[in-house]
Amino acid sequence: MEYIINGYRHASFFHYFEDISRIPRGSGNEAGIAAFLKAFADERGIECTVDEYHNVFMRKHATPGYEDVAPILLQGHTDMVCEKNADSDHDFTKDPLSLYIDKNGLLRAKGTTLGGDDGVAVALMLSLLDDESLQHPTLECLFTSAEETGLYGAHGFDCSQITARRMLNLDTELDGEAISSCAGSADLLLTLDTDREACDTKTVDITVKGLAGGHSGTDINTCRANAIRMMGRILAKLYDDCPFHLVSIAGGNKRNAVPRECVARITALEPDRAIALVEEEFARLKKEVAAADKKLRVTARLGKRAENRLSYHDTSTVISMITLNTNGVVSMSPVNPEFVRTSANMGVITTEEGKITASIMARSSCDSEMDALLLSYKRLAKLGGWQYLLDERSSGWDMNADSQLAKDYLRIYKRLYPDSNPVVNGIHAGLECGIFVSKIGCDALSVGPTIYEVHSPNEALDLASCERFCDLVRAMVSEKA
Ligand SMILES: [Zn+2]
């Protein structure tokens, strides 16, 4: 076999990476890679099971002298995101990726995603399992499927097979930064049944736009404004000074994104006054959010005629819900005060004939804090006569100040690279670790090499950081302390 990555210390890791890059493995298409892994294990007499999700689990017994050391689990996902440039004719169901090293020494795939996320985990586990010189306790390796489309492999895996109570997840993308916490999430729907009354009045259309938005987890601490909440404020103020009926409200389009726009149509007794008041409020808001949201625009204009509208009572109920719900950062981690522990994002609001619906995504690395947040939403829904529906919920992985793996990581990384400054952080979004920590109650840590622009055809893997990734995981596996 011809390999293009040569001249590195961890040759076996790079060659396995090239081997698996020949096997199509987009999410939902993991049968081929699972068969490859099973054949690898069978050839070497390694214990191996494959389940109906195409999760592959291998176990290698402790080497002499390591029988009394606690078993360790390594884990990563086999599937990859399939994205390609418009001019690429790559077929992700059958073509091998076409790898090349660019002039900066980064590994890329021609016109497509590289699958470094999370091919590096697969290659590393194979290179360790294949190495008869490596000293290790019972080594368990779990290759999960369908991570990128909803962590389905991890959810479906029968964890009773796992004997290890410490795990290294190999799915982060920055050398020198390990992750020791992730957020669970809950999808909430609040619905208000509305009675509409007939009218024949021109509306005033109020628009909030130009906000920066962002990811409802990883950007929630950026202080960027939420367009629906901002509309709530504007309406609440207006309602006191110049009563109106709400005709409709619509904002945001994804529950996991901070909404950038919101439009409300109202009918006011004094439309000109309503417009003037909104403009006055815009001047104040603009100053308030200038640092994070320079491009905010709030406009109020006369619109078309409305044939029906909400009652004063329902109008008031909608404004109350938007302004009173818990939104944005709810709490910071008591272990690392720079890390968000719990948050909520009202991401979408829509008006249909007869009802108004708001979608909220709540996140927390602490399950009991999430319980409390959901209860507060439930109470608020009860107060205003809204229906409360909890759609989906997953567990979080809370930061643990006493994590032995985190301590090992910092000590070993520093020992290997005395000039480095390794850190342990959390991520306010979902990772497979959250599922395993809640299912088997293990100590966990997530590490990886540096990968740029994952999930895009510009994905690039830093080969030098892969050498350190291999050094680090080998050392952590062989560490007896
Ligand atoms: Zn990944």
Side-chain angles (χ1 to χ4, degrees):
M1 197 77 82
E2 281 275 306
Y3 290 107
I4 63 160
I5 313 170
N6 294 301
Y8 286 92
R9 286 182 288 117
H10 296 286
S12 153
F13 164 84
F14 292 106
H15 293 169
Y16 278 119
F17 189 84
E18 289 195 52
D19 288 343
I20 61 165
S21 298
R22 295 187 182 95
I23 305 167
R25 45 180 229 283
S27 305
N29 182 27
E30 295 95 347
I33 184 75
F36 172 85
L37 295 172
K38 179 80 171 74
F40 167 95
D42 289 350
E43 271 167 39
R44 290 161 183 78
I46 297 171
E47 235 178 88
C48 176
T49 59
V50 183
D51 68 13
E52 75 259 39
Y53 298 91
H54 305 300
N55 290 313
V56 181
F57 181 64
M58 298 187 202
R59 180 182 297 116
K60 219 176 154 184
H61 294 291
T63 54
Y66 278 76
E67 296 86 347
D68 296 334
V69 180
I72 188 162
L73 170 70
L74 304 182
Q75 183 265 327
H77 60 91
T78 56
D79 63 312
M80 63 177 272
V81 168
C82 298
E83 285 291 327
K84 60 179 183 177
N85 289 330
D87 60 358
S88 164
D89 56 6
H90 184 87
D91 182 345
F92 278 107
T93 64
K94 60 179 173 59
D95 295 339
L97 298 173
S98 152
L99 306 186
Y100 70 99
I101 298 174
D102 74 8
K103 57 180 190 309
N104 299 315
L106 299 174
L107 185 69
R108 297 173 182 273
K110 268 181 210 131
T112 68
T113 34
L114 172 68
D117 169 14
D118 192 17
V120 293
V122 178
L124 180 60
M125 289 189 276
L126 293 180
S127 71
L128 296 185
L129 288 162
D130 200 24
D131 184 351
E132 291 304 322
S133 73
L134 180 72
Q135 293 191 299
H136 57 81
T138 295
L139 177 60
E140 297 180 326
C141 291
L142 175 57
F143 307 79
T144 47
S145 64
E147 189 269 352
E148 300 288 2
T149 44
L151 319 184
Y152 294 113
H155 279 297
F157 184 70
D158 170 13
C159 286
S160 67
Q161 303 171 74
I162 300 173
T163 64
R165 288 298 173 266
R166 51 196 190 117
M167 78 174 282
L168 279 180
N169 165 282
L170 310 169
D171 191 20
T172 52
E173 285 123 23
L174 188 60
D175 177 34
E177 183 194 60
I179 299 295
S180 72
S181 173
C182 74
S185 64
D187 293 343
L188 270 181
L189 272 184
L190 301 177
T191 308
L192 180 72
D193 289 325
T194 53
D195 287 327
R196 300 188 72 98
E197 54 180 57
C199 65
D200 183 18
T201 320
K202 270 199 167 182
T203 60
V204 172
D205 298 349
I206 306 170
T207 304
V208 170
K209 62 180 177 186
L211 293 174
H215 185 272
S216 75
T218 50
D219 294 324
I220 201 75
N221 59 344
T222 55
C223 305
R224 295 175 193 159
N226 175 314
I228 299 171
R229 294 276 288 187
M230 188 174 275
M231 181 63 84
R233 268 179 72 169
I234 294 168
L235 296 180
K237 181 124 197 298
L238 191 61
Y239 198 79
D240 281 352
D241 297 342
C242 174
F244 62 88
H245 290 267
L246 192 60
V247 175
S248 68
I249 180 165
N253 46 33
K254 274 186 185 164
R255 95 172 98 198
N256 65 354
V258 177
R260 291 177 290 108
E261 298 189 2
C262 188
V263 180
R265 300 177 65 217
I266 62 170
T267 62
L269 283 175
E270 303 169 87
D272 293 338
R273 184 143 178 269
I275 290 172
L277 287 170
V278 171
E279 278 165 1
E280 237 172 66
E281 186 62 9
F282 173 41
R284 281 162 33 105
L285 285 168
K286 207 170 148 178
K287 263 194 212 153
E288 180 182 316
V289 304
D293 281 292
K294 277 186 196 61
K295 294 184 180 158
L296 169 70
R297 292 269 300 142
V298 179
T299 59
R301 296 204 175 97
L302 277 182
K304 294 188 181 133
R305 236 161 236 293
E307 286 166 6
N308 58 56
R309 61 193 185 191
L310 268 61
S311 63
Y312 278 127
H313 179 267
D314 283 355
T315 296
S316 174
T317 302
V318 173
I319 298 170
S320 297
M321 170 55 82
I322 300 174
T323 48
L324 286 176
N325 74 80
T326 305
N327 198 80
V329 174
V330 176
S331 70
M332 306 301 284
S333 165
V335 177
N336 175 356
E338 285 177 17
F339 173 60
V340 178
R341 191 188 213 183
T342 302
S343 74
N345 177 58
M346 183 173 277
V348 189
I349 191 161
T350 57
T351 306
E352 286 167 77
E353 201 58 48
K355 64 178 180 179
I356 291 193
T357 306
S359 301
I360 294 110
M361 186 159 186
R363 299 179 193 263
S364 181
S365 50
C366 172
D367 290 345
S368 57
E369 264 196 30
M370 175 70 98
D371 289 343
L373 176 61
L374 295 179
L375 280 171
S376 77
Y377 264 99
K378 207 173 197 172
R379 297 313 307 183
L380 185 60
K382 246 188 213 326
L383 209 56
W386 295 65
Q387 290 162 41
Y388 165 100
L389 179 73
L390 176 59
D391 214 7
E392 247 184 74
R393 167 142 189 212
S394 66
S395 288
W397 167 29
D398 211 13
M399 206 170 259
N400 169 10
D402 300 318
S403 164
Q404 188 58 46
L405 280 174
K407 289 177 190 162
D408 288 351
Y409 167 79
L410 293 170
R411 185 183 68 252
I412 294 171
Y413 200 101
K414 202 78 187 149
R415 185 175 79 211
L416 291 169
Y417 306 103
D419 293 337
S420 66
N421 235 333
V423 291
V424 175
N425 277 327
I427 172 171
H428 196 55
L431 271 185
E432 286 171 303
C433 280
I435 296 167
F436 295 109
V437 170
S438 74
K439 278 193 186 176
I440 61 177
C442 55
D443 187 14
L445 193 74
S446 181
V447 294
T450 298
I451 314 179
Y452 302 101
E453 297 195 54
V454 287
H455 300 185
S456 94
N458 293 326
E459 183 180 355
L461 176 62
D462 180 320
L463 295 171
S465 76
C466 290
E467 294 270 74
R468 292 190 288 275
F469 173 54
C470 294
D471 288 337
L472 171 78
V473 177
R474 288 178 71 91
M476 289 187 77
V477 165
S478 297
E479 186 78 357
K480 268 187 176 174

